[in-house]
Amino acid sequence: MSERLPIAPRAGSAARTKIEADPRVDLKSMPRERLGLWFKEELGEPRYRADQVFSWLHQKRVRSFSDMTNLSKALRGRLDEVARIGGLTLEEVKVAKDGTRKLLLATAAGDLIETVIIPMEDRLTQCISSQVGCKIGCDFCLTARMPLRRHLAASEIVDQVLWAQEVIGEGKSINNLVYMGMGEPLDNYSNVLASLKTLTDEQGLHMGTKRITVSTSGVVPKIAKLGADIKVNLAVSLNATTDAQRTALIPINKVWNIETLMAALRAFPLPPRRRITVEYVMLAGFNDSLEDAVRLTRLLRGLRCKVNLIPFNPWPGSVYKRPAADHVDRFAVVLRDADYTVTVRYSKGEDIGAACGQLDGAPQAA
Ligand code: SAH
Ligand code: SF4
């Protein structure tokens, strides 16, 4: 099912050049602290004005300065001259049989990205994208077929959540946020960090840090930095138990191998009662043997973690296959017998291409 929204056509190449050359500063990309400084230094305006603008952008979700009715007309005019409100336009909403919704959104430059809203019992989890494409190049991931076209601006990351709020309507809210859509979040570190600061701000959406998870393929130097900068949850796509296997799947394992990655995970500053999520994509006949399961129990020994097994989601042209469900269960039992908490994540929204590793920014044939 697909509902087309009455939205302006996407920017063509002329518009694209114009937008990319737009010298005005993007206010939606600024966390509140930075916005306050900018108001003071650039406009000579007090901090509370910046707070007002921040709340217009992130709580009331307005998309133009003219809607900010508690600012003087003069200030609104001045803002229009020197600043812009970055973000995305909503192109399409697709609804899967299981209630999962996929939002197709366009950047001002005309690139398409995706975000997915997944109902889980009475809660809503949103999976957001951090880049257009990805340069890590994992062999099993559809996003990797697309070269890295662009890092998303903080405003474009935050706007995925603001649009999701718009689509689900008042009275409901996004309960959990996972940075598991298109792209490698830690390869776009500063914009991802700015988005986290904005999304958790008490004068914005005020999402709890406990409810946000950043997933990485293992960009080791940025793992420690994230832990020092903000207390969100960390998920790591381990996906293999030997370096030979892992390098074949995730090329950056050549730079940061399993041992280096595990050391970074052990050093990650976990708040009390929190655990690292270890993701493990299960590929039939490649990394799903019971020996792999045993090796995994040894690798993770002593790490405060939970394991998330993700049976592979196939896409056209993929060489890997999903293991049989009873085989996945046997793998899980080995881990459980060693006292690990294990969940098997059968992805939702497969019929609309919204499952893990199925995001490529392309509108699907209806
Ligand atoms: N770049 C980050 C986050 C996005 S990928 C990362 O790699 O962690 C989110 C998760 O989807 C990762 O755990 C990845 O291993 C998994 N994934 C990618 N393609 C998949 C596929 N086709 N089937 C199942 N899981 C997949
Ligand atoms: Fe990039 Fe993650 Fe896909 Fe690997 S699995 S290509 S890191 S999005």
Side-chain angles (χ1 to χ4, degrees):
M1 182 166 43
S2 165
E3 78 195 65
R4 281 253 168 217
L5 294 158
I7 287 160
R10 219 171 309 135
S13 55
R16 185 177 307 186
T17 318
K18 189 167 149 237
I19 287 155
E20 280 176 355
D22 191 338
R24 295 177 301 171
V25 53
D26 173 9
L27 295 194
K28 215 184 208 170
S29 276
M30 292 188 194
R32 190 157 54 89
E33 187 72 26
R34 195 151 17 115
L35 193 65
L37 280 177
W38 185 85
F39 263 69
K40 191 160 158 269
E41 286 165 9
E42 290 292 320
L43 305 176
E45 289 281 341
R47 176 173 291 268
Y48 79 88
R49 283 272 177 243
D51 287 356
Q52 285 174 326
V53 168
F54 189 86
S55 128
W56 277 116
L57 294 176
H58 301 286
Q59 286 183 329
K60 302 184 195 94
R61 303 195 295 270
V62 305
R63 294 179 179 276
S64 89
F65 294 120
S66 57
D67 290 332
M68 301 183 178
T69 47
N70 59 358
L71 305 184
S72 72
K73 239 187 161 150
L75 178 56
R76 282 185 260 160
R78 175 91 183 105
L79 281 173
D80 229 359
E81 276 165 28
V82 293
R84 67 191 169 93
I85 299 173
L88 303 163
T89 46
L90 182 60
E91 295 275 317
E92 194 178 355
V93 179
K94 283 192 165 234
V95 187
K97 291 191 206 90
D98 62 19
T100 298
R101 277 173 282 199
K102 181 164 90 168
L103 277 51
L104 192 66
L105 301 146
T107 69
D111 293 311
L112 288 175
I113 58 146
E114 295 172 326
T115 180
V116 182
I117 307 167
I118 309 147
M120 289 186 181
E121 286 145 27
D122 56 345
R123 311 187 69 79
L124 292 174
T125 295
Q126 185 182 3
C127 177
I128 59 175
S129 297
S130 55
Q131 296 178 316
V132 185
C134 184
K135 71 166 187 249
I136 307 293
C138 301
D139 205 29
F140 51 84
C141 175
L142 180 60
T143 304
R145 305 291 113 175
M146 203 179 160
L148 175 64
R149 284 170 61 93
R150 210 162 63 79
H151 293 305
L152 291 182
S155 58
E156 293 164 333
I157 300 173
V158 170
D159 219 16
Q160 295 171 56
V161 189
L162 297 174
W163 274 121
Q165 270 308 136
E166 199 84 38
V167 167
I168 62 182
E170 302 306 324
K172 276 194 178 172
S173 49
I174 298 295
N175 307 103
N176 296 297
L177 198 60
V178 294
Y179 283 64
M180 295 184 187
M182 294 165 66
E184 166 51 53
L186 299 190
D187 185 39
N188 181 15
Y189 189 81
S190 55
N191 294 345
V192 163
L193 181 63
S195 73
L196 290 167
K197 287 186 176 160
T198 294
L199 290 165
T200 53
D201 196 297
E202 59 189 26
Q203 292 188 38
L205 281 174
H206 200 190
M207 302 199 73
T209 51
K210 283 189 198 139
R211 306 230 163 264
I212 303 182
T213 302
V214 173
S215 175
T216 179
S217 56
V219 182
V220 164
K222 295 290 164 50
I223 290 179
K225 196 155 169 30
L226 183 72
D229 286 340
I230 194 160
K231 297 275 163 277
V232 292
N233 298 308
L234 180 70
V236 173
S237 304
L238 187 59
N239 295 350
T241 55
T242 68
D243 279 321
Q245 260 180 349
R246 194 166 191 271
T247 301
L249 295 179
I250 311 176
I252 58 165
N253 193 69
K254 282 198 282 275
V255 185
W256 300 293
N257 65 11
I258 294 183
E259 194 186 340
T260 320
L261 177 58
M262 292 309 299
L265 299 187
R266 289 181 201 286
F268 190 76
L270 276 177
R273 286 186 298 280
R274 289 216 220 163
R275 288 184 285 180
I276 291 175
T277 303
V278 173
E279 296 164 284
Y280 196 93
V281 179
M282 295 192 68
L283 309 166
F286 186 83
N287 67 355
D288 67 339
S289 71
L290 298 184
E291 290 76 50
D292 283 305
V294 171
R295 266 198 300 272
L296 190 55
T297 64
R298 292 201 195 112
L299 269 178
L300 301 181
R301 201 163 284 158
L303 181 72
R304 256 160 62 205
C305 67
K306 52 188 172 187
V307 181
N308 209 329
L309 299 177
I310 318 172
F312 176 66
N313 294 309
W315 35 271
S318 60
V319 293
Y320 297 102
K321 300 240 167 350
R322 174 186 289 193
D326 60 342
H327 185 74
V328 173
D329 291 343
R330 278 199 294 277
F331 192 99
V333 165
V334 174
L335 297 168
R336 288 197 186 109
D337 283 350
D339 278 340
Y340 291 98
T341 306
V342 183
T343 48
V344 179
R345 196 204 307 158
Y346 280 101
S347 299
K348 297 196 165 197
E350 276 181 83
D351 53 323
I352 54 165
C356 288
Q358 289 187 332
L359 303 183
D360 65 352
Q364 277 211 321

